[in-house]
Each structure stands twice: as C-alpha cells, then as structure tokens.
Amino acid sequence: AWLKLSKTTLFRSSSSVWVVDGYCFILVGAGMTVLVQSSSVFTSTLTPLVGMGVISIDRMFPLTLGSNIGTTATALLAALATSSDDIKKRRNTIKVAICHLLFNTFGILIFYPIPYIRRIPLNLAKKLGNTIATYRWFAVVYLGTMFVILPLVLIALSFSLPLLYTTITITILIGCLVTVLNLLQKHANDKLPEKLKNMGFSSPSLRSLQPYDSVITNIFYLKRKEKDDESSQKRK
C-alpha cells in the first residue's frame, strides 16, 4: 500500500511544482543521510525503488544531491569530536570538513537552480541507462574506464603539465564540436551538408556500439558453447 501511495503521490513527477519540491527533496536527502551516516546506504536503498518505478529519476536526482550534503555531517562530527590538544591541528581538521561541506553545497548551487544545466546529468543518466539496458557489457566498460583507466591516464599525464593541458584542451574542443553537431542535427538538420546529417561519413564503430556488441557476444557465445560441449562429453 505504501509503495502504491508513494508512486501515485509523493514521488510522482509534476512539472508545476517540480522546482519547489525539488529543493524539499534535497533537504529530505540530506536529513536522511545524516540519520544513517552514509550516502552509499541511502542511495543504494533508493536505487531499486527507481527500477521499480516507485521513484522517478527526476525525484532521485535531488535526493542524491541532498545525500551529498548530508554525508558531510560525518566529517563535521569527526572534526568536532577530535581529541587533539593542538589547537592548530584541530582547526585544520575543522577546515577540511567545512571545505567538504562548501564544495558539495556550492556545486549544487551552481548546477541545480538553472533548469537547462539541471537537465544535463539527468539526460546523461537516462541515456547511459538505456545504453546499458541494451548492451549489458557496457556497464563494466564504463566503470573500468571512468574509475580505473581515466584516473591512471590523468595521473600519468600529470607528470608533464603541458601534455596534460594539451590533452584536456583537445578533449574539451572535441566534446564541444560533437555537442554542437548533435544540436545542429536535432534542430537544423535540413541545413547541414548531406554527410553531416547522419554522420554517414564516419565508421560504424564510431557511431554505434553494435559492432562491439557483435564481437563480444560471439566471444562469450563460443566460450559458452565450448563449455556446453565439454559438459556433454563428460556426461557421455
């Protein structure tokens, strides 16, 4: 009954009051995270509810932002409870905790109030979710790239600052170019040259994950077939 009620009332998206109760949900996320003392526990508890359709992703977004603020309470409590007799060390501990709080707070103040910027992470999350729903292996690739390969590459490039700045600049320029081209294809496709209307001049591997999916699916299919053949031979 509670799931039915929350699905139809509390967590239902409503464009007329979305902005107002979005900030309310930030406060709810912060408060709940302070109570459980863990943003991971809070967000991982709500994630299945999004999959069940109880909470919409538009509602989950401000709850997650509030959770990022609530999780700073742990550092603040630890800083205030420090038993160091050195006043300077105690001050430095409190400063670090406050920096954590202000960093998360100002990040929300910069990105959340502006509707257009607010939609960017939501649209990216929806697109990534749809991609992973179609290509399950992409979840492993995404996690490995974002949390292992990319940090290692940035650490390696940091030993040469000019190379690091050059790489970041080129990446930003390519991202801006792709974004502008996608916007033109969406809103002014009839004014673009024929080759730019659907990126037909580029390789299929640059436009879709389907070629990679075919290769990966065939690899796992062959391995599974070999295991099935071995198990059938053992039975005989």
Side-chain angles (χ1 to χ4, degrees):
W2 181 85
L3 292 177
K4 192 178 209 178
L5 177 64
S6 59
K7 184 176 180 179
T8 55
T9 58
L10 181 60
F11 296 111
R12 186 178 57 188
S13 295
S14 176
S15 58
S16 59
V17 294
W18 196 88
V19 176
V20 177
D21 59 6
Y23 292 101
C24 294
F25 273 80
I26 291 177
L27 296 177
V28 170
M32 293 298 295
T33 305
V34 171
L35 292 177
V36 300
Q37 291 294 297
S38 174
S39 60
S40 299
V41 171
F42 178 73
T43 54
S44 61
T45 301
L46 293 182
T47 299
L49 297 180
V50 178
M52 294 168 58
V54 176
I55 305 176
S56 67
I57 191 172
D58 292 334
R59 290 287 187 248
M60 184 64 182
F61 182 45
L63 286 171
T64 305
L65 295 180
S67 180
N68 287 334
I69 295 179
T71 193
T72 62
T74 305
L76 287 171
L77 292 174
L80 295 173
T82 182
S83 59
S84 176
D85 295 330
D86 191 338
I87 298 179
K88 186 176 180 180
K89 290 182 179 179
R90 186 181 301 177
R91 286 178 178 175
N92 290 336
T93 305
I94 295 175
K95 287 178 183 178
V96 172
I98 293 176
C99 285
H100 186 202
L101 171 63
L102 294 179
F103 178 81
N104 289 349
T105 302
F106 279 105
I108 294 174
L109 292 176
I110 291 173
F111 288 97
Y112 190 75
I114 304 174
Y116 179 77
I117 298 180
R118 185 192 307 148
R119 301 302 307 179
I120 294 176
L122 284 172
N123 292 335
L124 290 176
K126 293 176 181 178
K127 187 171 184 179
L128 180 61
N130 292 332
T131 301
I132 294 176
T134 305
Y135 309 105
R136 298 297 179 88
W137 53 266
F138 188 73
V140 179
V141 174
Y142 175 78
L143 292 175
T145 302
M146 298 303 296
F147 295 100
V148 179
I149 298 176
L150 184 60
L152 290 177
V153 170
L154 292 178
I155 291 174
L157 291 175
S158 65
F159 291 101
S160 176
L161 291 181
L163 181 60
L164 175 63
Y165 296 148
T166 303
T167 303
I168 293 176
T169 302
I170 293 175
T171 303
I172 293 175
L173 290 176
I174 293 175
C176 292
L177 180 62
V178 172
T179 302
V180 171
L181 183 57
N182 287 335
L183 290 175
L184 290 175
Q185 288 177 342
K186 185 176 181 180
H187 299 287
N189 193 36
D190 55 334
K191 298 181 180 179
L192 290 174
E194 193 64 31
K195 291 184 178 181
L196 295 179
K197 287 184 178 182
N198 55 6
M199 300 292 290
F201 63 92
S202 62
S203 171
S205 59
L206 297 177
R207 291 182 277 115
S208 173
L209 294 175
Q210 185 60 44
Y212 305 103
D213 183 67
S214 300
V215 174
I216 294 174
T217 302
N218 289 333
I219 292 174
F220 282 98
Y221 173 75
L222 291 175
K223 288 185 177 180
R224 184 175 180 181
K225 187 176 181 181
E226 290 176 358
K227 290 182 179 179
D228 293 340
D229 293 338
E230 291 178 358
S231 61
S232 62
Q233 289 177 0
K234 288 180 180 179
R235 292 176 182 175
K236 292 179 180 179

